[in-house]
Amino acid sequence: MSRIRGMRGQLASSIAVTCAAALALPLALSSAAMATAAPRTAGQPTAGQPGAGQPAAERPGAAPVATGRAAVPGSTQSLPLTPLADASSPASSPSSPSSSATTDRTLPPAAAQGLARRDVRHFSLVGVVWDNPDAELHGRVQVRTRATGTTRWSGWLDVDTHNQEHAADPGTEERTSGRVRGSTAPLWVGASDGVEVRVEAEADGREGAGRADRAGDPLPRGLHVELVDPGAEPPPQGPETDAPRVNVLTAEAAASSAVNADLAPLGATEIPALSKKETEADLLAARGGAGADAVDQRAKPYIGARPSIVTRNGWGADEQLRERNFSYTKTVKAAFVHHTASGNNYACAQASSVIRSIYRYHVKSSGWRDIGYNFLVDKCGNIYEGRAGGVAKAVMGAHTLGFNSNSMGIAVLGSFGGAAPPAAAVTGIARLTAWKLGLFGANPKGKTYLVSGGGNLYRKGTNVRLNVISGHRDGFATECPGGRLYAKLGTARTTSARYQGR
């Protein structure tokens, strides 16, 4: 019976998505046509603002996200890196040979590559990608950026090169799509209009620089720097803007919102918080008549109060970037905690821009189907919907290589190898896991078993015992989520279990 009810639930969800998309499509097209015909005045970015000098959309059919404000969906500049004559002193003139040379991929890559200092269109996030997703970059990646509208250049900033472990599982459709590329972690640098890059191989890089690149290559082939503009902020949230905005949703946006239809109106920018009593009532209603095993749960359901969650519409996701279909796993037995390694130089008011940038970097630069994480948490403890498919559902992510099945990934915006995570962020993890794990009957302080899909710690098929709330490094040999955040996971487990009433 429970299986039948699950099938009915999936069918109802599919029908809701289809109907919402069908209803929204003509309205979205109409809105897009109006936006194309009218000149961009209200809400048009000025010089130095996100999206300045960028087209209103990257392709035909893009629709505005709010009435009266033209959409600026963001953009990505992809610039090839070329050999540097002197690794310790990258060329500093836009006219230098290294800035204009073309990359010959038939030749072995040099041990030092880069991009000379140059003017570029507006961007706020930077990363480096390469052709082969199985090749590792053994070396150092550094960037310098110039703040928009100024002559002020930053010092050299390190970009985290260890990002291979944030990916879809080996052999999956997402991993074998042919679009996936190797990539560093993204780095948030704020509004910038100038960039300089240098990439230097480790002295012993030739011995192991990329398992699938040609033997002897000091660096992976096809290195490019990706400069991401997150676009304009979505309209401010409030009583009026929180109302359903069906008339401005594209078909893709309607589908993304419809999978949360049981939790919030179509087009909502936020899924509202519930009290613990209300959350328990919802859970009992969903489990009604599920048999003898549900009796004990009806007597005492272990679940935390549902927290407020900013939806994809709330943070301004361009739903036309991602793949149309949603991908699900069977259940959620564990939560893997990550840091984005994108730096801590952002304000909570900028979190939506950071997430839009990471989303675009994951999809357009790295070649993934959607943003990799299921949820994101900012330094103020605000919680954001990540990969599309429904916040209460078991959505398949691309966050922990080898353990994306039957799990979820939560990323805290920031870098926490040396910096301590804010207490609000740790509390956000606890609140989110108390609710989401509670939906699937998981104890935050408990242990569980997951079967490895393949990685550098556990061979494919290995049944691994893990904490229900684990750090990324528990499933893969990596620094993520940073030593300081990892040290706080015990607190997150205890607090989450307390929120569940355990």
Side-chain angles (χ1 to χ4, degrees), residues 151-421:
T151 58
R152 186 177 68 255
W153 284 83
S154 72
W156 285 106
L157 305 171
D158 285 307
V159 179
D160 191 337
T161 61
H162 302 292
N163 197 50
Q164 183 193 28
E165 60 272 18
H166 298 83
D169 289 345
T172 60
E173 184 178 349
E174 181 173 3
R175 181 71 176 183
T176 59
S177 67
R179 297 188 302 272
V180 179
R181 295 198 283 177
S183 59
T184 67
L187 179 67
W188 176 262
V189 293
S192 305
D193 60 11
V195 68
E196 185 177 5
V197 184
R198 65 185 182 194
V199 180
E200 299 173 276
E202 288 180 352
D204 59 348
R206 291 181 178 273
E207 298 179 4
R211 293 170 297 175
D213 264 13
R214 301 178 190 181
D217 287 353
L219 291 171
R221 293 172 177 256
L223 289 170
H224 281 66
V225 61
E226 305 286 293
L227 308 175
V228 180
D229 175 6
E233 285 297 311
Q237 296 184 28
E240 294 183 1
T241 56
D242 281 342
R245 296 181 286 174
V246 179
N247 64 318
V248 292
L249 294 178
T250 63
E252 295 86 355
S256 180
S257 182
V259 287
N260 291 318
D262 291 342
L263 311 179
L266 188 67
T269 59
E270 182 180 18
I271 294 170
L274 295 180
S275 67
K276 192 171 191 304
K277 184 176 181 180
E278 290 170 328
T279 305
E280 290 172 350
D282 276 5
L283 179 61
L284 293 178
R287 290 177 172 174
D293 290 343
V295 174
D296 290 339
Q297 284 297 307
R298 284 198 296 270
K300 185 177 176 57
Y302 293 112
I303 188 169
R306 186 179 79 198
S308 171
I309 301 172
V310 178
T311 66
R312 290 171 65 91
N313 194 30
W315 54 260
D318 178 358
E319 297 294 356
Q320 295 185 19
L321 291 181
R322 64 170 175 82
E323 289 190 12
R324 281 178 175 266
N325 297 328
F326 306 131
S327 180
Y328 296 97
T329 184
K330 292 180 180 179
T331 187
V332 177
K333 299 169 65 177
F336 285 98
V337 177
H338 306 257
H339 67 170
T340 58
S342 52
N344 303 317
N345 188 29
Y346 74 95
C348 292
Q350 296 175 301
S352 289
S353 289
V354 178
I355 295 170
R356 288 198 307 278
S357 298
I358 294 173
Y359 169 46
R360 177 172 279 275
Y361 184 73
H362 282 180
V363 177
K364 300 293 286 185
S365 301
S366 301
W368 302 356
R369 62 177 295 128
D370 195 350
I371 192 170
Y373 310 112
N374 298 102
F375 296 93
L376 300 100
V377 179
D378 68 22
K379 62 175 67 175
C380 294
N382 300 307
I383 300 168
Y384 302 81
E385 178 182 14
R387 180 163 287 206
V391 297
K393 302 180 186 297
V395 177
M396 174 77 82
H399 49 84
T400 306
L401 184 66
F403 292 100
N404 291 305
S405 292
N406 300 330
S407 71
M408 67 174 181
I410 303 168
V412 180
L413 297 178
S415 302
F416 302 106

Side-chain angles (χ1 to χ4, degrees), residues 129-153:
V129 301
W130 52 91
D131 294 341
N132 188 348
D134 293 320
E136 297 182 46
L137 196 163
H138 293 280
R140 189 176 191 183
V141 176
Q142 293 181 301
V143 299
R144 296 181 66 198
T145 60
R146 183 183 62 207
T148 297
T150 73
T151 58
R152 186 177 68 255
W153 284 83

